[in-house]
Amino acid sequence: TIAKPTARFLTGHSSGGWSSLWVQVTYPEHFAGVWSTSPDPVSFLDFQRINMYSDGENMYVDGKGQPRPLARVRGQVLLWYKGFDSMEWTLGPGGQLHSFEAVFSKRGDDGKPLLAWDRKTGAVNTKTTENWKKYDINLILKENWKTLGPKLAGKLHVYMGDVDTFYLEGATILLKKTLADLGSDAVVEVQQGKDHMNLLNAQMRQRIRQGMVEQFLKAHPEEKR
């Protein structure tokens, strides 16, 4: 109810983790901080272990020709990229993987998002993913840090498990390194033994809440009760 940026905070998990971080980076002066947990890929150099900018990259098989996993629990693969993608394609518009193209790709002549990979072969289309760079949070921070850095001081908090269910930890690890190299005070934690489902537990929720309270009271000490 306080109409000031110092009283506005962002948080979200998974796709919400990506979205909240995106909003903070895109509108750095409109919010007082973000607490992002298990975000979708924050760098497309590691999109669930796939480099979306590399010619010859494939969504379905790795460089050794082995099937790419999409989800795991306690080290056991539950979903494979090709099988899950085929299911989504059969069901029609919508779905998790389609959602990335809906957000990041340009529209084709038919008005639909351009496909980032061939749904038969799995081959990545780097002409399409060139447009994805506009939404690559890691890249945006790296290329615009001189402007964004001062505006984001004390505002970035990202948490990820090192065995994320959907192999999202690689992108967050890249983001952690980028921010460290830039001299940022961002908090980027990759927590040992945590996955997509158990990272955001009661303890983490309380930690996020406490972080927001502390940030708020720094700017509004008169509201302390």
Side-chain angles (χ1 to χ4, degrees):
T1 58
I2 298 175
K4 295 181 179 180
T6 50
R8 301 189 194 113
F9 303 92
L10 297 160
T11 188
H13 185 74
S14 194
S15 293
W18 186 92
S19 300
S20 57
L21 186 58
W22 168 260
V23 171
Q24 179 67 78
V25 170
T26 305
Y27 304 100
E29 296 178 299
H30 286 66
F31 300 92
V34 60
W35 283 256
S36 166
T37 57
S38 301
D40 284 347
V42 292
S43 171
F44 301 145
L45 290 172
D46 192 323
F47 188 88
Q48 296 172 293
R49 298 186 171 179
I50 302 162
N51 184 344
M52 301 303 289
Y53 305 135
S54 177
D55 290 324
E57 194 76 304
N58 193 288
M59 306 296 286
Y60 300 156
V61 295
D62 62 21
K64 297 180 180 179
Q66 297 299 307
R68 287 194 188 276
L70 179 62
R72 62 186 167 179
V73 173
R74 293 185 291 275
Q76 181 69 36
V77 176
L78 295 183
L79 297 172
W80 300 93
Y81 228 104
K82 188 179 191 314
F84 187 84
D85 198 18
S86 296
M87 178 196 70
E88 277 199 357
W89 191 256
T90 300
L91 291 174
Q96 180 62 50
L97 301 181
H98 284 85
S99 74
F100 294 122
E101 290 163 325
V103 175
F104 307 137
S105 296
K106 290 182 178 180
R107 292 190 184 197
D109 294 337
D110 60 0
K112 297 179 181 179
L114 293 174
L115 299 182
W117 63 92
D118 188 295
R119 286 321 199 267
K120 291 183 178 179
T121 67
V124 172
N125 185 341
T126 53
K127 290 183 180 179
T128 295
T129 58
E130 182 68 22
N131 191 69
W132 285 32
K133 291 181 178 179
K134 295 190 296 185
Y135 305 98
D136 187 321
I137 294 175
N138 184 67
L139 184 62
I140 290 168
L141 289 170
K142 186 181 293 187
E143 293 185 344
N144 299 278
W145 190 248
K146 185 175 181 180
T147 300
L148 289 175
K151 298 176 181 179
L152 292 172
K155 296 182 178 182
L156 300 180
H157 312 80
V158 183
Y159 306 95
M160 175 66 73
D162 71 337
V163 286
D164 184 79
T165 308
F166 303 104
Y167 301 92
L168 298 172
E169 73 276 2
T172 296
I173 290 170
L174 287 176
L175 178 66
K176 180 180 178 70
K177 183 179 185 307
T178 292
L179 288 168
D181 290 345
L182 291 169
S184 170
D185 62 358
V187 175
V188 183
E189 290 185 7
V190 181
Q191 297 189 3
Q192 187 173 2
K194 297 294 185 180
D195 61 27
H196 205 76
M197 309 307 175
N198 63 23
L199 176 76
L200 189 58
N201 55 22
Q203 182 180 9
M204 177 59 73
R205 291 179 187 278
Q206 180 58 31
R207 184 178 175 187
I208 290 172
R209 178 181 175 83
Q210 185 61 35
M212 290 181 177
V213 169
E214 291 175 359
Q215 194 90 323
F216 172 75
L217 290 177
K218 285 180 183 178
H220 301 277
E222 72 280 1
E223 296 295 327
K224 189 172 183 180
R225 291 177 174 82

